[in-house]
Amino acid sequence: MTSAPDDVGGSRPEVRRVRPGDAARMRALRLEMLADAPLAFLETVADAAARPHAEYAVRIASTSTGPQTAQFVADPGGRLVGHAGGTVIPSEPGLTVVYAVYVTPLWRGTGLLADLVEAVAAWSRACGRPELMMEVVVGNDRAYRAYQRLGFTDTGVRVPHPTIPAMTELQMRRAA
């Protein structure tokens, strides 16, 4: 069981890049993410649960190093409690797309979201990419306000949700 923030003296979990040995804990967090916020991510919990552990292990190993794609986790020493990823798109070499941002409910409102996004931003800067972009489902006002507090601004660009055609996402950007 994950300790709530008050149970650890107010200290935050370590935010770090994933390691190959995190595959099982990352799979558990991914299933939690999909169950808690099914519209925010690009697969269903059933699809993720059906994926073999070996696929998670390969993905985690591939995002644990290198400048193209990275995943960062919040690790209090047990179950992972947060995640944020970053990746490049060839059409905008100075941009990192922030993806799959999640903080488990017990840790929301503790500043952990900012720590995760800053880990992606620091990685992006180190890779020579000075800008961050993310997409948020239109109507997810809680996430929208949280990202505004972290310095993201709405660009006015709207795009179709990649898996649910009736939904729209808005793009937000900020300096890395």
Side-chain angles (χ1 to χ4, degrees):
M1 172 158 203
T2 301
S3 298
D6 292 341
D7 296 341
V8 292
S11 64
R12 290 190 192 142
E14 175 189 14
V15 173
R16 60 169 175 78
R17 193 157 182 181
V18 293
R19 299 176 188 135
D22 291 329
R25 293 190 306 153
M26 191 56 223
R27 182 178 188 276
L29 182 63
R30 180 71 178 168
L31 295 175
E32 176 187 326
M33 293 163 64
L34 294 168
D36 185 51
L39 299 179
F41 305 106
L42 302 182
E43 69 180 333
T44 67
V45 70
D47 289 342
R51 188 174 316 115
H53 175 75
E55 284 186 34
Y56 280 94
V58 167
R59 169 105 176 137
I60 296 306
S62 73
T63 61
S64 67
T65 61
Q68 299 300 309
T69 302
Q71 293 185 65
F72 296 87
V73 292
D75 184 357
R79 186 175 178 88
L80 298 176
V81 297
H83 176 274
T87 193
V88 298
I89 53 172
S91 61
E92 288 192 61
L95 177 73
T96 292
V97 177
V98 181
Y99 70 90
V101 179
Y102 180 77
V103 174
T104 198
L106 282 174
W107 286 89
R108 291 178 187 159
T110 65
L112 195 53
L113 175 67
D115 294 347
L116 287 160
V117 170
E118 183 49 39
V120 176
W123 170 76
S124 184
R125 290 189 306 270
C127 294
R129 294 186 298 272
E131 189 174 19
L132 301 177
M133 187 271 287
M134 64 171 36
E135 294 174 346
V136 179
V137 172
V138 171
N140 187 347
D141 296 335
R142 185 184 60 148
Y144 181 81
R145 287 189 306 272
Y147 298 133
Q148 280 186 314
R149 285 191 296 273
L150 297 181
F152 285 89
T153 58
D154 187 338
T155 66
V157 174
R158 301 297 183 265
V159 295
H161 188 282
T163 59
I164 306 169
M167 297 183 76
T168 303
E169 293 185 322
L170 59 89
Q171 289 185 357
M172 300 181 84
R173 291 183 183 233
R174 71 162 239 204

PDB file of all heavy atoms in Angstrom, residues 41 86 156:
ATOM      1  N   PHE A  41      -5.951   8.778 -21.777  1.00  0.00           N
ATOM      2  CA  PHE A  41      -4.851   8.005 -22.336  1.00  0.00           C
ATOM      3  C   PHE A  41      -5.312   7.258 -23.578  1.00  0.00           C
ATOM      4  O   PHE A  41      -6.504   7.143 -23.844  1.00  0.00           O
ATOM      5  CB  PHE A  41      -4.290   7.062 -21.265  1.00  0.00           C
ATOM      6  CG  PHE A  41      -3.892   7.810 -20.016  1.00  0.00           C
ATOM      7  CD1 PHE A  41      -4.658   7.729 -18.871  1.00  0.00           C
ATOM      8  CD2 PHE A  41      -2.781   8.634 -20.011  1.00  0.00           C
ATOM      9  CE1 PHE A  41      -4.324   8.441 -17.722  1.00  0.00           C
ATOM     10  CE2 PHE A  41      -2.425   9.355 -18.874  1.00  0.00           C
ATOM     11  CZ  PHE A  41      -3.194   9.259 -17.729  1.00  0.00           C
ATOM     12  N   GLY A  86       7.966  12.104 -22.077  1.00  0.00           N
ATOM     13  CA  GLY A  86       8.295  13.105 -23.080  1.00  0.00           C
ATOM     14  C   GLY A  86       8.811  12.412 -24.323  1.00  0.00           C
ATOM     15  O   GLY A  86       9.487  11.385 -24.231  1.00  0.00           O
ATOM     16  N   GLY A 156      -4.783  27.637 -28.639  1.00  0.00           N
ATOM     17  CA  GLY A 156      -5.937  27.814 -29.510  1.00  0.00           C
ATOM     18  C   GLY A 156      -6.099  26.688 -30.519  1.00  0.00           C
ATOM     19  O   GLY A 156      -7.115  26.585 -31.193  1.00  0.00           O
TER      20      GLY A 156
END
